[in-house]
């Protein structure tokens, strides 16, 4: 096929991605395909499903009003776990699964509350990953704290679906406005309320007036905002959806551009409604004229089932090159032995120009079961390539074993092209099966990704990297939400060593893992001598490693019982005279069903890229739902032509990273080396001296401390909070390896030089502070190419009024002649005296910065930083102005009269 036509076909097929029938989509204004999945660890409770139905039904009406008649929920599937009792109303899932769900119901594993939140870490307008509700949130009365659950769902849905952000900021609840008044961080400013401190004094609960801190110009840190229960403001849902009057998102007219919140920071001061209007949903959903209320949503109840998998493996003649057949068999054996969960049903099909069912479904309960399958892995590579016949045989292996193809999984591996592959697209689509694809080598059929996209499967690419196939298979693990079943990869290394040479390495095994631990060694010429020692110096040698009888050049050792915690060491000796490639792969599972393992997952910002659009690499490091901070995270990206790029990923809140210290490590990727497929692998290494576990959730729903009702503050029960001294926990040394899905690129030059295409990244964390008569600035350095390298120079401008910076070139230029940019990711500092302005007590200066590179490309203007000059009086705190009218405060029946409350 002509190369240009291949690329066109490639792009055309990927357009199908947006038409996935199993994913959420709009149909005549109604959302269809919404999946709510309940975690297997959640005990069965008869109240849970009715509560979910009530929440969604309530949310549908609220969403319809908030979107001005554009959106509502038409149908929703609720997926219950296998651990629940069977009921006649439970249907079999098709392609719905826990790990692909839009909403998950799971325990928080925190003793500090049940805050709803959306896992969202993309750019403005990017969709989130999932919404998380806890069973306790769904089953207890918390209307006063969060508002009706349906309204909370709409708030979180806006995060998930449209990529908007919160308009509150619990770290900066107040700010100084351009009018030199202290304002609540909110949208809109029409929302009214009072500010007060509730605390214990001499054994009694006391609510008092907030004090002004002259060192900051703001209220004291304990000060909270109590909204009036009765409001007239209609916006905004992303601030306080709990208020009865709030039925709108902030628009251009009502948006508060000054508020220091994530919406302003990440979306460049745009309102939430402006962002929503640019979404694909909005473009295809005109208002439903003449309809006062949407029809109620319909619900399907589904119950997860045991995992059904069929391997469909290519054994055509081209698999005889570059040891592909042997590498495939090594990887398939690892998958069957170490990755597939016990109790799964597994079959095997091999194909060339025809297909053969090697094994109908076998339930994997012990080592003898998987050997029945590995014994039938292909030993010879001959013939042509018929992918459709392989898939059809896979379906037959499933149905002939009295299982439905609907919800089953097929792992399809091929290195060849097949001009007839599209002939079975309709059969695949209607089978209900999930197709995971592994493209081996640069000539693998370009339509493979279409099979994955149309069925919700995973997609991987493996080339000459000897570990790549085993890493790809390791990435196809359980989607049930039961983390104790999921196999984790600790190591995957290749060594090219000469004859008569030793190599050594270490693998840390932390206390969250150790069950079902395997060490696997492969070679290309001759089996090496192997020495493995556990942390207590117990020794395993070559004779302890079991060889595969099919001569696929691999040996494995399963550690008896639970692997010892600590550092394991291995040594390999190439006994021959010829150099050879040796690999070490280590997998394990959680230490126990009740242990939350340390995890790593990775993905790209999108599955396809049209040059010169940059992409973003994301890696999430966590234990349960808690982020791991301070880890060393590295991504390795390999193109079809074998070029490899290594990127250190950062969780610094700068560049591509939207939020600092949230356990999401990111980096821009721009080092394109030609078109085609790219693979992604991420390695995480953490040292206990640096890494830590954050015990605080970020971006959680706003918890209302109380309301002003009839002139009195009525307090809500306090939210359980993490004590200041216990916000972080220690983390042991650990390592993880994870493979992200492959992605495809078109229009890229082959040389990889892109400094003339991409500008420095936007500075997003500029901070400004008056110190004496100088302003001190801090920010994270961007790079020459987005967040890589070193920018050429900075341009800093200032203004007395924030609107003046909207047109950056009209603001006053700051002399930066002595400022030399540092390497990307470094902390930058700079101080200057704003001589152009008269500086008095209360003077406000607004500053912004941009960077450019040697190619003359300029970054976007940074966030706008505010510096306020305060001259502190003798006392650091002062009372509020006495001319503000007094109101009564009621605290759980206790009335306290205060002299001053700000309205």
């Amino acid at each position: 096929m002509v190369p240009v036509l291949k690329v066109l076909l490639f792009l055309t097929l990927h357009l199908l991605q947006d038409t996935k029938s199993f994913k959420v989509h709009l149909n005549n204004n109604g959302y269809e395909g919404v999946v709510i999945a309940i975690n297997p660890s959640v005990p069965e409770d008869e109240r849970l499903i009715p509560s979910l139905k009530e929440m969604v039904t309530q949310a549908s009406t609220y969403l319809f009003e908030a979107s001005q008649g554009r959106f509502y929920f038409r149908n929703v599937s609720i997926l219950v776990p296998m651990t629940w009792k069977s009921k006649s109303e439970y249907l079999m899932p098709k392609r719905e699964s826990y790990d692909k769900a839009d909403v998950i119901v799971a325990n928080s594993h925190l003793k500090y509350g049940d805050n709803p939140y959306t896992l969202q870490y993309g750019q403005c307008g990017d969709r989130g990953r999932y919404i998380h509700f806890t069973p306790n949130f769904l089953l207890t009365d918390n209307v006063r704290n969060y508002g009706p659950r349906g309204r909370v769902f709409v708030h979180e849905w806006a995060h998930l679906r449209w990529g908007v952000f919160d308009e509150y900021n619990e770290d900066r609840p107040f700010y100084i406005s351009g009018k030199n008044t202290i304002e609540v961080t909110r949208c809109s400013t029409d929302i009214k309320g009072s500010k007060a401190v509730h605390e214990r004094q001499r054994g009694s609960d006391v609510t008092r007036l907030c004090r002004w801190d002259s060192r900051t110009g703001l209220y004291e840190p304990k000060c909270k905002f109590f909204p009036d229960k009765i409001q007239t403001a209609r916006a905004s849902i992303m601030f306080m959806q709990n208020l009865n009057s709030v039925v709108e998102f902030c628009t251009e007219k009502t948006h508060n551009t000054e508020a220091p919140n994530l919406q302003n920071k990440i979306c460049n001061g745009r309102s939430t409604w402006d962002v929503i209007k640019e979404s694909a949903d909005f473009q295809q959903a005109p208002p439903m004229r003449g309809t006062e209320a949407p029809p109620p949503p319909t619900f399907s109840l589904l119950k997860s089932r045991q995992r059904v998998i069929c391997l469909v493996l290519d054994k055509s003649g081209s698999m005889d090159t570059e040891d592909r057949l042997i590498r495939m068999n090594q990887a398939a054996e690892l998958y069957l032995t170490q990755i597939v969960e016990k109790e799964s049903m597994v079959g095997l099909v091999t194909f060339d120009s025809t297909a053969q069912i090697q094994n109908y479904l076998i339930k994997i309960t012990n080592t003898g079961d998987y050997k029945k399958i590995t014994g039938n892995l292909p030993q010879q590579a001959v013939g042509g390539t018929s992918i459709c016949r392989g898939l059809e045989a896979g379906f037959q292996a499933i149905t002939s074993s009295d299982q439905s193809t609907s919800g089953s999984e097929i792992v399809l591996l091929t290195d060849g092209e097949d001009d007839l592959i599209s002939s079975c697209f309709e059969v695949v689509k209607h089978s209900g099966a999930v197709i995971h694809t592994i493209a081996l080598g640069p000539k693998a059929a370009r339509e493979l990704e279409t099979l994955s996209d149309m069925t919700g499967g995973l997609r991987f690419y493996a080339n000459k990297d000897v570990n790549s196939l085993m890493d790809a298979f390791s990435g196809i693990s359980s989607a049930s939400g039961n983390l104790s079943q999921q196999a984790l990869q600790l190591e995957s290394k290749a060594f090219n060593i000469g004859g008569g040479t030793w190599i050594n390495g270490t693998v840390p095994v932390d206390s969250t893992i150790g069950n079902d631990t395997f060490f696997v060694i492969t070679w290309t010429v001759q089996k090496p001598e192997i020495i493995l020692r556990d942390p207590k110096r117990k020794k395993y040698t070559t004779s302890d490693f079991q060889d595969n009888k099919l001569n696929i050049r691999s040996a494995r050792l399963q550690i008896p019982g639970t692997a010892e915690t600590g550092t394991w060491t291995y040594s390999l000796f190439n006994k021959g005279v010829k150099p050879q490639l040796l690999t070490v792969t280590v997998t394990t599972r959680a230490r126990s069903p009740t242990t939350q393992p340390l995890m790593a997952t990775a993905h790209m910002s999108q599955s396809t890229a049209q040059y010169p659009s940059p992409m973003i690499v994301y890696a999430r490091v966590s234990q349960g739902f808690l982020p791991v901070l301070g880890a060393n995270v590295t991504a390795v990206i390999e193109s079809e032509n074998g070029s490899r790029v290594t990127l250190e990923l950062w969780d610094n809140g700068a560049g591509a990273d939207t939020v600092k210290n949230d356990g999401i490590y990111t980096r821009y990727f721009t080092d394109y080396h030609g078109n085609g497929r790219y693979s992604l692998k991420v390695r995480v290494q953490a040292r206990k001296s640096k890494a830590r576990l954050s015990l605080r959730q970020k971006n959680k729903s706003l918890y209302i401390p109380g309301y002003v009702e009839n002139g009195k503050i009525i307090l809500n029960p306090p939210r359980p909070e993490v004590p200041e001294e216990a916000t972080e926990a220690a983390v042991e040394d650990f390592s993880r390896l994870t493979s992200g899905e492959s992605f495809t690129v078109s229009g890229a030059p082959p040389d990889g030089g892109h400094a003339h295409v991409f500008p420095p990244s936007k500075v997003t964390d500029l901070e400004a502070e008056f110190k004496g008569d100088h302003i001190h600035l801090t920010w994270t350095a961007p790079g020459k190419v987005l967040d890589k390298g070193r920018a050429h120079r900075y341009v800093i401008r200032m203004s007395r009024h924030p609107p003046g910076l909207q047109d950056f070139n009209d603001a006053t230029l700051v002399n930066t002649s002595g400022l030399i940019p540092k390497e990307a990711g470094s902390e930058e500092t700079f101080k200057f005296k704003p001589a152009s302005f008269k500086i008095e007590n209360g003077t406000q200066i607004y500053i912004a910065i941009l960077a450019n590179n040697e190619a003359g490309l300029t970054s976007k203007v940074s966030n706008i930083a505010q510096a306020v000059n305060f001259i502190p009086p003798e006392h650091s705190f002062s009372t509020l102005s006495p001319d503000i009218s007094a109101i009564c405060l009621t605290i759980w029946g206790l009335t306290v009269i205060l002299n001053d409350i700000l309205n």
Side-chain angles (χ1 to χ4, degrees):
M1 188 179 291
V2 179
V4 174
L5 293 179
K6 282 187 179 180
V7 172
L8 289 174
L9 173 62
F10 210 2
L11 292 173
T12 302
L13 291 170
H14 282 298
L15 293 177
L16 294 172
Q17 181 178 333
D18 293 330
T19 62
K20 297 179 184 177
S21 59
F22 60 94
K23 277 201 166 186
V24 178
H25 58 280
L26 267 177
N27 181 10
N28 292 328
N29 300 89
Y31 283 113
E32 298 181 344
V34 179
V35 176
I36 301 174
I38 301 172
N39 190 278
S41 66
V42 174
E44 188 166 3
D45 191 313
E46 295 289 339
R47 301 172 297 163
L48 200 51
I49 290 177
S51 177
L52 287 168
K53 289 181 175 181
E54 180 185 25
M55 176 181 71
V56 175
T57 302
Q58 187 182 74
S60 187
T61 303
Y62 188 53
L63 177 64
F64 188 77
E65 181 177 8
S67 64
Q68 301 174 8
R70 285 177 171 83
F71 311 121
Y72 68 96
F73 295 109
R74 176 176 277 121
N75 63 58
V76 176
S77 296
I78 300 175
L79 180 66
V80 307
M82 282 177 55
T83 50
W84 286 25
K85 296 175 184 176
S86 295
K87 292 184 178 181
S88 58
E89 60 263 39
Y90 290 162
L91 306 175
M92 183 181 294
K94 295 180 180 177
R95 294 178 173 122
E96 300 88 353
S97 64
Y98 181 87
D99 71 333
K100 298 283 187 182
D102 308 289
V103 181
I104 61 171
V105 178
N107 294 308
S108 66
H109 303 287
L110 264 180
K111 59 182 179 181
Y112 303 112
D114 299 280
N115 304 298
Y117 71 94
T118 300
L119 182 62
Q120 175 192 22
Y121 46 78
Q123 304 298 298
C124 183
D126 290 350
R127 291 177 183 172
R129 305 298 285 180
Y130 59 74
I131 298 168
H132 179 189
F133 295 117
T134 66
N136 197 45
F137 171 81
L138 293 166
L139 297 177
T140 57
D141 182 7
N142 43 38
V143 171
R144 283 191 60 85
N145 307 106
Y146 297 103
R149 279 188 281 268
R151 287 179 167 231
V152 176
F153 186 28
V154 171
H155 175 103
E156 300 302 335
W157 184 260
H159 284 307
L160 179 78
R161 189 70 185 175
W162 302 315
V164 297
F165 293 84
D166 290 325
E167 292 166 338
Y168 48 84
N169 186 340
E170 294 191 282
D171 293 328
R172 294 185 62 185
F174 303 101
Y175 69 97
I176 298 173
S177 74
K179 298 178 180 178
N180 261 341
T181 59
I182 302 176
E183 294 289 344
V184 179
T185 301
R186 70 200 192 279
C187 194
S188 68
T189 54
D190 293 335
I191 292 177
K192 308 299 182 184
S194 303
K195 298 92 178 173
V197 171
H198 177 69
E199 60 187 2
R200 296 282 292 178
Q201 289 185 4
R202 299 173 185 174
S204 300
D205 286 328
V206 175
T207 298
R208 62 168 175 79
L209 166 77
C210 293
R211 298 191 183 105
W212 177 66
D213 183 350
S214 59
R215 292 170 301 187
T216 65
L218 299 170
Y219 298 123
E220 60 186 299
K222 293 186 289 186
C223 182
K224 294 186 182 298
F225 175 65
F226 296 85
D228 292 347
K229 186 69 173 176
I230 306 299
Q231 302 270 353
T232 57
R234 295 176 61 84
S236 165
I237 291 169
M238 300 313 292
F239 176 59
M240 280 189 178
Q241 76 285 334
N242 53 293
L243 299 173
N244 288 336
S245 68
V246 170
V247 292
E248 296 176 355
F249 294 96
C250 263
T251 65
E252 185 179 358
K253 292 182 179 179
T254 57
H255 182 59
N256 177 10
T257 58
E258 291 186 316
N261 53 37
L262 276 180
Q263 176 63 25
N264 278 330
K265 176 187 174 183
I266 298 174
C267 295
N268 297 321
R270 296 164 60 210
S271 73
T272 52
W273 188 243
D274 283 345
V275 176
I276 292 168
K277 285 198 297 185
E278 289 190 357
S279 68
D281 289 353
F282 194 93
Q283 303 305 317
Q284 60 178 297
M288 296 172 64
R289 303 296 183 192
T291 304
E292 292 186 4
T298 60
F299 296 91
S300 301
L301 302 183
L302 314 174
K303 186 181 178 189
S304 300
R305 62 165 181 165
Q306 64 193 41
R307 196 175 184 194
V308 175
I309 314 164
C310 187
L311 303 188
V312 178
L313 307 179
D314 187 350
K315 68 174 187 68
S316 62
S318 56
M319 290 292 290
D320 200 33
T321 61
E322 299 177 348
D323 281 340
R324 288 179 180 174
L325 191 71
I326 289 176
R327 288 170 55 205
M328 179 185 75
N329 287 343
Q330 289 172 345
E333 184 186 44
L334 177 140
Y335 184 69
L336 294 165
T337 308
Q338 301 169 218
I339 307 300
V340 171
E341 306 78 23
K342 294 291 190 293
E343 304 300 318
S344 298
M345 300 188 70
V346 183
L348 173 64
V349 167
T350 58
F351 70 94
D352 41 54
S353 54
T354 61
Q356 301 81 35
I357 298 175
Q358 304 292 348
N359 293 90
Y360 291 93
L361 297 182
I362 297 173
K363 179 175 279 193
I364 304 294
T365 57
N366 55 55
T367 55
D369 294 324
Y370 74 75
K371 287 181 179 180
K372 296 175 186 175
I373 303 175
T374 58
N376 289 328
L377 289 170
Q379 297 302 294
Q380 212 173 5
V382 293
T385 304
S386 177
I387 294 171
C388 284
R389 287 182 178 174
L391 291 173
E392 289 162 2
F395 295 150
Q396 185 182 345
I398 293 169
T399 56
S400 297
S401 303
D402 296 324
Q403 294 293 321
S404 170
T405 57
S406 185
S408 298
E409 298 170 69
I410 283 181
V411 179
L412 170 65
L413 182 150
T414 184
D415 73 337
E417 296 179 290
D418 181 358
D419 292 336
L420 300 177
I421 186 173
S422 60
S423 65
C424 59
F425 280 179
E426 282 302 309
V427 173
V428 168
K429 186 176 180 180
H430 290 101
S431 70
V434 176
I435 313 292
H436 308 298
T437 59
I438 302 175
L440 178 56
K443 293 185 178 180
R446 296 295 174 183
E447 298 88 345
L448 289 179
E449 282 77 8
T450 306
L451 289 170
S452 294
D453 289 345
M454 71 166 57
T455 64
L458 303 173
R459 40 143 89 181
F460 296 94
Y461 172 62
N463 199 358
K464 294 182 180 181
D465 180 354
V466 70
N467 293 91
S468 56
L469 272 181
M470 286 193 285
D471 295 340
F473 270 101
S474 297
I476 306 173
S477 56
S478 170
S480 69
N482 187 344
L483 297 183
S484 66
Q485 292 183 350
Q486 190 164 331
L488 305 172
Q489 213 174 349
L490 306 185
E491 186 60 284
S492 174
K493 276 189 177 178
F495 305 92
N496 193 349
I497 63 172
T501 304
W502 284 94
I503 57 101
N504 306 292
T506 61
V507 180
V509 174
D510 58 89
S511 62
T512 71
I513 55 172
N515 188 34
D516 208 18
T517 303
F518 287 86
F519 284 75
V520 180
I521 311 297
T522 72
W523 57 91
T524 55
V525 179
Q526 180 182 358
K527 183 179 180 181
E529 184 177 338
I530 307 168
I531 298 174
L532 175 67
R533 285 189 172 90
D534 74 8
K536 294 185 176 179
R537 308 304 294 168
K538 181 178 179 180
K539 184 177 180 181
Y540 300 89
T541 61
T542 310
S543 60
D544 297 309
F545 282 73
Q546 182 179 356
D547 283 16
N548 183 282
K549 295 179 180 179
L550 297 177
N551 190 30
I552 60 173
R553 305 175 197 160
S554 72
R556 68 176 22 82
L557 169 67
Q558 181 174 15
I559 304 302
T562 304
E564 289 285 348
T565 299
T567 301
W568 291 64
T569 60
Y570 61 83
S571 299
L572 305 178
F573 179 65
N574 183 6
K575 297 183 290 186
V577 296
K578 293 182 178 180
Q580 66 169 333
L581 275 172
L582 304 179
T583 74
V584 179
T585 304
V586 184
T587 65
T588 188
R589 299 185 200 273
R591 184 157 292 258
S592 73
T594 58
T595 301
Q596 291 284 312
L598 290 155
M599 302 275 295
T601 57
H603 67 95
M604 301 298 293
S605 54
Q606 57 211 60
S607 59
T608 60
Q610 174 70 45
Y611 185 82
S613 297
M615 298 187 75
I616 300 175
V617 190
Y618 293 107
R620 183 186 181 202
V621 187
S622 60
Q623 184 177 15
F625 297 109
L626 299 177
V628 174
L629 315 180
N632 184 286
V633 183
T634 305
V636 177
I637 298 172
E638 183 175 356
S639 66
E640 270 191 15
N641 65 14
S643 298
R644 302 182 79 184
V645 175
T646 300
L647 287 174
E648 181 185 352
L649 307 186
W650 298 332
D651 183 16
N652 60 359
D657 193 56
T658 54
V659 178
K660 184 176 181 178
N661 288 339
D662 62 351
I664 309 298
Y665 297 77
T666 67
R667 200 77 183 273
Y668 283 110
F669 172 70
T670 58
D671 289 328
Y672 298 114
H673 289 266
N675 298 326
R677 297 181 173 106
Y678 286 66
S679 64
L680 168 66
K681 183 160 59 176
V682 168
R683 182 180 297 273
V684 178
Q685 291 181 305
R687 296 292 174 259
K688 59 185 177 183
S689 59
K690 184 179 178 182
R692 59 212 186 275
L693 186 70
S694 174
L695 302 180
R696 281 193 166 173
Q697 290 177 334
K698 287 184 176 282
N699 305 332
K700 53 185 180 286
S701 281
L702 185 62
Y703 188 101
I704 309 302
Y707 299 91
V708 179
E709 302 182 48
N710 299 317
K712 301 175 182 179
I713 290 182
I714 309 298
L715 293 178
N716 291 331
R719 175 171 60 186
E721 294 283 2
V722 181
E724 285 295 329
E725 66 276 7
T727 56
E728 295 179 348
V731 174
E732 308 160 70
D733 289 359
F734 75 90
S735 67
R736 297 290 186 271
L737 189 95
T738 184
S739 292
E741 293 186 64
S742 60
F743 61 98
T744 55
V745 175
S746 61
D751 57 9
H754 308 294
H756 63 290
V757 176
F758 299 104
S761 60
K762 172 186 171 180
V763 172
T764 59
D765 60 349
L766 180 65
E767 295 283 344
E769 180 184 8
F770 263 103
K771 290 185 178 180
D773 58 356
H774 282 70
I775 294 177
H776 286 234
L777 304 179
T778 61
W779 69 94
T780 302
K784 174 182 179 180
V785 178
L786 294 175
D787 56 7
K788 184 180 179 182
R790 188 193 297 262
H792 177 56
R793 70 185 183 98
Y794 292 118
V795 178
I796 300 176
R797 292 183 181 271
M798 60 180 176
S799 172
R800 289 293 303 270
H801 308 286
L805 286 175
Q806 302 304 316
D807 188 350
F808 184 78
N809 292 326
D810 291 341
T812 303
L813 187 66
V814 175
N815 184 356
T816 59
S817 58
L819 179 58
I820 300 174
K822 296 179 182 178
E823 192 72 17
S826 304
E827 181 181 341
E828 297 273 27
T829 60
F830 180 68
K831 66 178 181 179
F832 68 95
K833 186 175 181 179
S836 304
F837 300 137
K838 182 180 180 181
I839 306 301
E840 301 173 319
N841 191 18
T843 295
Q844 298 182 53
I845 306 290
Y846 297 89
I847 304 106
I849 186 172
L850 56 76
N852 56 38
N853 59 21
E854 289 91 340
L857 300 176
T858 302
S859 72
K860 294 180 180 178
V861 178
S862 72
N863 64 296
I864 298 174
Q866 178 195 52
V868 184
N869 185 47
F870 285 109
I871 302 173
E874 292 184 16
H875 303 289
S876 60
F877 286 101
S878 65
T879 56
L880 295 177
S881 172
D883 61 349
I884 301 173
S885 61
I887 67 170
C888 294
L889 306 179
T890 301
I891 308 95
W892 296 327
L894 174 67
T895 302
V896 180
I897 306 298
L898 295 185
N899 291 325
D900 304 279
I901 290 291
L902 275 179
N903 291 310

